Amino acid sequence: MKILGALGVLLMVLWTIGPGAGFAQAQTTLSAEEKLEQEFNDPLSTLPQLLVRDSYTPANYGPCTPQSCVRNDETNQLIIRPLIPRIPANTLLPFTQLLRPTFTLVTVPSSRGGTRTEFGDLPMFDVAVLPWPDRKKTGLLIGVGPTFVFPTATSKSAGQGAWQAGPAFGGIYTGIPGLLVGFIAQNPISFAYTSPKRPPQNTFEFQPVFALHLWEKWYLRSADANWTIGWHHHSPTMLPLSVGLGRTIVRPGLPPMSLFVTGQWMAYRQYAPIAPQTTINFGLTVAFPELRDWWSGK
């Protein structure tokens, strides 16, 4: 309940600053680079895009035994995440809907020592972007919809082994030129399992999003850390922090792209026997603006 209250306070703050001084500054025309930066970092964007990110973890938290020492294992996560907008009149509902599946390939510690690479679970949200409040007047955008987790992992340690569904909610504020701040909150809950030995899942997931234009095509980014809080007794809680630099790339004959590198550190963990300590994220996002124009009938 405290977390839900905090989300409400955050939305009220964004709503308050939107119509005021922040929006007055928003009248300034954004450069092409700043518009692209916001589109690339906005999880509620209607710009069709594909994110490829590799997260390398050279140091982990975990137990050490004579057979194996998790702290010495180097783990990795490769994700491929398309953002697929469905824009009226090509939707069943009178709202823009955003479909975001995340395909993962993870390198995890092995029970026999060392590591192995497996496919992970498939999380996905289907969010409807609400037409109110008016983003042009407030700078605030809100999305709501369902989230799912499909147990596609190819090993027990690479996934949770549970079919999950729950609510998803997001808020993004862009009322100040060059600044994007917001979040995506999800809470998938398990309702079926691949094995009777699999524990029930009920996890609150919070993705803070922050992007600040620096100069020319460079920007400051913090959007790769996902906070997780398990509601069940002794379920893991992990609160990582990330920050890094990104750069937009626009070349004739090529789709717009963005490259970024961020560092990530586990600021807090509880009941998580194995967790990343430090992580380096390397990412590439490719946009397809022609698809948005085609889907919207332009």
Side-chain angles (χ1 to χ4, degrees):
M1 296 302 294
K2 292 181 179 179
I3 295 175
L4 295 178
L7 293 180
V9 171
L10 177 58
L11 280 177
M12 288 300 296
V13 171
L14 296 180
W15 175 274
T16 301
I17 65 177
F23 179 66
Q25 298 177 17
Q27 303 301 317
T28 305
T29 302
L30 295 178
S31 66
E33 288 78 12
E34 290 174 302
K35 290 180 181 179
L36 269 179
E37 289 168 10
Q38 293 189 350
E39 295 270 27
F40 280 130
N41 292 280
D42 185 356
L44 300 182
S45 170
T46 59
L47 177 65
Q49 53 191 272
L50 178 68
L51 167 68
V52 179
R53 189 189 75 201
D54 187 80
S55 300
Y56 167 66
T57 301
N60 285 275
Y61 292 109
C64 254
T65 66
Q67 290 76 26
S68 64
C69 186
V70 173
R71 290 195 295 269
N72 296 332
D73 292 334
E74 298 179 359
T75 56
N76 195 82
Q77 182 189 59
L78 174 68
I79 73 167
I80 300 176
R81 176 184 289 164
L83 181 62
I84 307 169
R86 292 174 289 174
I87 303 173
N90 298 320
T91 59
L92 295 176
L93 300 175
F95 307 117
T96 296
Q97 292 178 264
L98 304 175
L99 186 66
R100 193 184 80 171
T102 302
F103 304 92
T104 60
L105 187 67
V106 295
T107 300
V108 294
S110 173
S111 58
R112 300 179 180 179
T115 59
R116 68 175 185 275
T117 300
E118 306 279 354
F119 286 104
D121 289 340
L122 172 62
M124 180 181 68
F125 72 56
D126 187 357
V127 170
V129 179
L130 303 183
W132 61 86
D134 189 343
R135 188 174 193 176
K136 294 182 179 180
K137 295 181 179 180
T138 65
L140 183 62
L141 189 67
I142 294 176
V144 62
T147 183
F148 307 95
V149 177
F150 302 100
T152 56
T154 52
S155 75
K156 183 178 180 180
S157 59
Q160 298 174 328
W163 298 82
Q164 303 172 58
F169 181 74
I172 298 295
Y173 176 69
T174 55
I176 300 175
L179 175 67
L180 179 144
V181 61
F183 65 90
I184 292 291
Q186 305 175 73
N187 199 134
I189 303 170
S190 58
F191 60 88
Y193 308 91
T194 59
S195 167
K197 296 181 180 180
R198 289 293 195 167
Q201 302 292 329
N202 186 354
T203 305
F204 177 78
E205 303 174 1
F206 185 85
Q207 178 192 357
V209 179
F210 174 86
L212 176 65
H213 178 73
L214 297 178
W215 71 94
E216 295 183 352
K217 299 180 180 181
W218 294 92
Y219 61 91
L220 188 70
R221 169 190 171 96
S222 178
D224 303 304
N226 288 310
W227 303 352
T228 58
I229 301 174
W231 296 120
H232 290 296
H233 186 58
H234 284 181
S235 293
T237 293
M238 294 184 286
L239 304 179
L241 300 176
S242 74
V243 66
L245 291 175
R247 187 183 190 277
T248 57
I249 301 175
V250 180
R251 293 287 187 272
L254 295 175
M257 293 180 288
S258 175
L259 293 169
F260 64 86
V261 178
T262 62
Q264 188 168 307
W265 170 66
M266 186 63 67
Y268 175 81
R269 70 183 180 100
Q270 185 181 42
Y271 305 125
I274 301 176
Q277 181 179 353
T278 55
T279 301
I280 304 174
N281 300 301
F282 304 92
L284 167 68
T285 307
V286 182
F288 305 95
E290 297 83 2
L291 291 178
R292 178 169 58 181
D293 295 339
W294 181 72
W295 284 335
S296 61
K298 293 183 180 180

